[in-house]
Amino acid sequence: MNAIIVNHLTKQYPSTLAVDDISFAVPTGSITGLLGGNGAGKTTTISMLLGLLVPTSGSITILGHNMATDRFAALAQMNFSSPYIALPARLSVIENLRVYGHLYNVPHLARRIEELAAQFNLTPLLKRLAGELSAGQKTRVALAKSLINRPDVLLLDEPTASLDPDTGDFVRTTLETYRTTHNATILLASHNMAEVERLCDDVLMMKSGKIVDRGTPEGLITRYGRDDMEQVFLDIARSPAL
Amino acid sequence: MKPLAQSARRIFGLVYRHVALYRRSWPRLLEISYWPTLELLIWGFTASYFAHATLNPGLLAGGALIAGVLLWEVTLRGQLGVTYSFLEDIWSRNLGHVFVSPLRPAELVASLLVVSLLRTLVGLFPATILAYLLYSFNILHLGPVLLLFFINLLFMGWWVALLIVALLFRYGAGAEALAWTVAFGITPFACVFYPVAVLPPWLQPLALALPAAHIFEGMRAALLYNLTDWRNLAAAATLNAAWLLVAIAVFGLQFRAARIRGALIAIGE
């Protein structure tokens, strides 16, 4: 059973072909990495999966819902986190979580916020303004927001960018635990290859808007005859043939 | 939970986002009532001066000026309430999260309108009290028709705001200046302080295409002759309905176009 099915997806801007006829499926309960250099088309792909961007052609089905015609039904069962999209800085942590709890119609919201606060060590920060938090604290809040509706599909854009190793490890452990306990499907764009090796069951390698290779991290490392995903990434990024 | 209740809760979520912001920020609260109060003081004292200079108590004329200030502020505050609230989310780089939630565009608009109504009521309250204390002008003396004036002027502020938000979708935060200036630019043609007949003939059709010009004709009829001008009220309501339909269509088209261009991702840039 696939939670995400993408068929012949293309995004053509007036002067750029950002995504070029890609197809893939993400099995339910898996963590899939979406990798590629800057401008490879990862963010464009994630934006189309989230309904922020209308594809030029192709189709996206998430949790059985066609994103072109029924995206709000899918969005209610999804969530998203990115360090590049902020939460309102002048609201406190608890106010932010309340806002998104209401937007996602979370039942028993106060109890859910308590659970998340305990899970992400946010209890002492609940009344602090989001804008006054450190980068690591903001990431924990953003992750709590992204799990507030217990999503079946979680899309993450560089979830550990600019985090110290301790916080980065905390985020990865949280994602692994969440996937296991909720059978959640996670699609992850990342530039951190160690993170990809640790978390991902499957990897999609993007370059110039196309998926140029795919496989498990171990499979890709073996196929390219390399020691780790970092070297595989560099091989693909620098290969003129791909 | 039923779909309507779910929808109401999502709208409440965004309204709560703005109420929470104002609850802790006295400068924001002060800003809401600052301009209406300032306008009232300027025009109130101007009316008082004319009353003394002409040796005429000028209560009626002064009443028309002060009522004009207070009622036109309904449109201005109504429009700013929508566009300012939308800009708050642009400035806080939060719209990406909002647009990937199950919140429908119509619910986004509904939440902005609720915030706008709250801002308008809070913003006009001190000016209304001051009008009574300083100039013995009680806006409630207009009677029940005041409610119809209020609703029509608020609706005008809202459709102007929807057109501005549509421009923000089209041109991004670069169109921010329009949020502050467009409604003020309409003021000369809204005929707040003078009859439509004062305008040059070639400008009169423009004024008559705006609901506000009809409302203020009706307001002067109510204040000066104690009449309820149903013809102008009906014209204002019809024009508001027509303009609102246009604004909703433009908003919908620009929202769709923004999703095609990818502008929702970079709207704050």
Side-chain angles (χ1 to χ4, degrees):
Chain A
M1 182 74 178
N2 293 315
I4 302 174
I5 301 167
V6 170
N7 270 317
H8 299 291
L9 191 67
T10 297
K11 184 64 192 180
Q12 170 78 62
Y13 289 114
S15 58
T16 316
L17 183 58
V19 171
D20 185 5
D21 192 25
I22 62 171
S23 297
F24 62 88
V26 181
T28 301
S30 69
I31 300 182
T32 298
L34 193 58
L35 309 189
N38 297 324
K42 306 184 300 293
T43 302
T44 304
T45 302
I46 287 182
S47 298
M48 288 192 280
L49 292 175
L50 288 164
L52 277 174
L53 190 60
V54 178
T56 306
S57 61
S59 69
I60 300 167
T61 305
I62 297 182
L63 300 168
H65 302 285
N66 183 335
M67 290 302 281
T69 56
D70 194 21
R71 75 178 192 277
F72 294 111
L75 288 172
Q77 298 167 264
M78 297 166 65
N79 215 313
F80 169 65
S81 183
S82 165
Y84 307 111
I85 300 180
L87 293 169
R90 305 302 301 168
L91 295 193
S92 68
V93 171
I94 194 166
E95 286 166 345
N96 268 298
L97 293 175
R98 278 183 195 141
V99 169
Y100 285 95
H102 290 307
L103 290 185
Y104 284 90
N105 276 293
V106 175
H108 311 296
L109 180 57
R111 197 190 312 157
R112 179 63 181 149
I113 291 174
E114 273 178 33
E115 285 170 11
L116 288 167
Q119 184 183 353
F120 290 97
N121 301 324
L122 293 175
T123 307
L125 304 176
L126 283 175
K127 300 220 165 142
R128 292 262 305 273
L129 295 183
E132 292 175 352
L133 303 178
S134 69
Q137 290 167 335
K138 280 181 184 165
T139 301
R140 276 154 45 202
V141 175
L143 209 52
K145 171 262 163 192
S146 72
L147 298 183
I148 196 153
N149 60 330
R150 298 183 178 89
D152 296 318
V153 169
L154 186 56
L155 303 187
L156 302 167
D157 190 8
E158 299 187 44
T160 56
S162 75
L163 294 182
D164 65 63
D166 181 41
T167 313
D169 180 67
F170 172 82
V171 170
R172 286 173 207 118
T173 305
T174 304
L175 293 175
E176 284 173 321
T177 307
Y178 184 75
R179 183 266 287 265
T180 308
T181 54
H182 290 78
N183 194 35
T185 307
I186 299 175
L187 184 68
L188 169 84
S190 179
H191 286 142
N192 185 324
M193 296 302 123
E195 176 173 282
V196 170
E197 281 180 47
R198 172 175 161 183
L199 288 179
C200 295
D201 305 300
D202 204 13
V203 169
L204 304 167
M205 301 292 303
M206 290 193 75
K207 187 176 177 182
S208 304
K210 288 178 179 293
I211 294 176
V212 291
D213 212 339
R214 66 181 76 188
T216 62
E218 301 77 22
L220 287 168
I221 290 167
T222 306
R223 196 178 330 142
Y224 282 80
R226 294 297 188 172
D227 297 326
D228 55 33
M229 279 300 294
E230 185 97 19
Q231 293 173 354
V232 172
F233 182 94
L234 291 175
D235 274 358
I236 291 173
R238 291 173 183 173
S239 167
L242 291 174
Chain B
M1 199 186 279
K2 290 182 177 166
L4 199 62
Q6 290 182 345
S7 182
R9 192 168 170 205
R10 287 190 290 268
I11 293 168
F12 173 78
L14 266 199
V15 172
Y16 171 77
R17 177 246 189 279
H18 291 283
V19 170
L21 188 67
Y22 285 104
R23 209 170 44 183
R24 72 156 51 82
S25 173
W26 66 262
R28 278 186 168 84
L29 272 176
L30 187 67
E31 183 272 335
I32 292 176
S33 52
Y34 178 77
W35 289 109
T37 306
L38 199 66
E39 289 277 327
L40 175 85
L41 292 174
I42 291 168
W43 286 100
F45 287 125
T46 305
S48 298
Y49 168 72
F50 282 133
H52 285 292
T54 58
L55 298 177
N56 180 335
L59 286 176
L60 293 177
L65 277 176
I66 292 170
V69 169
L70 290 175
L71 286 174
W72 184 232
E73 283 294 329
V74 172
T75 300
L76 297 179
R77 295 305 118 192
Q79 178 259 306
L80 282 171
V82 173
T83 46
Y84 190 91
S85 305
F86 187 73
L87 283 166
E88 283 275 8
D89 273 321
I90 291 183
W91 295 328
S92 61
R93 293 172 49 241
N94 177 51
L95 275 176
H97 284 308
V98 172
F99 287 134
V100 302
S101 77
L103 186 86
R104 277 69 168 165
E107 292 164 354
L108 169 70
V109 170
S111 68
L112 293 174
L113 300 187
V114 173
V115 175
S116 161
L117 175 63
L118 294 174
R119 275 181 53 117
T120 303
L121 292 174
V122 171
L124 283 172
F125 184 70
T128 308
I129 299 296
L130 270 181
Y132 182 71
L133 294 177
L134 292 178
Y135 314 115
S136 304
F137 178 77
N138 185 352
I139 188 84
L140 298 176
H141 281 163
L142 278 167
V145 76
L146 173 66
L147 187 63
L148 297 177
F149 292 162
F150 180 88
I151 291 169
N152 269 289
L153 290 168
L154 191 61
F155 267 74
M156 179 170 166
W158 286 351
W159 61 252
V160 171
L162 282 183
L163 291 172
I164 294 169
V165 172
L167 288 173
L168 288 170
F169 281 135
R170 176 68 186 82
Y171 298 104
E176 185 182 319
L178 294 172
W180 315 114
T181 52
V182 165
F184 290 100
I186 294 173
T187 307
F189 317 109
C191 300
V192 180
F193 304 116
Y194 40 79
V196 175
V198 166
L199 294 177
W202 59 273
L203 263 182
Q204 290 182 16
L206 176 63
L208 291 172
L210 297 173
H214 297 275
I215 290 297
F216 288 109
E217 292 287 343
M219 180 202 75
R220 282 183 284 273
L223 281 172
L224 299 174
Y225 309 113
N226 205 22
L227 288 174
T228 302
D229 186 348
W230 292 109
R231 196 178 58 83
N232 267 314
L233 264 171
T238 308
L239 284 167
N240 261 330
W243 278 111
L244 193 60
L245 285 176
V246 170
I248 288 170
V250 172
F251 177 92
L253 285 172
Q254 286 302 336
F255 183 76
R256 169 81 185 167
R259 286 184 62 225
I260 291 171
R261 288 196 319 275
L264 293 188
I265 305 162
I267 196 167
E269 293 164 10

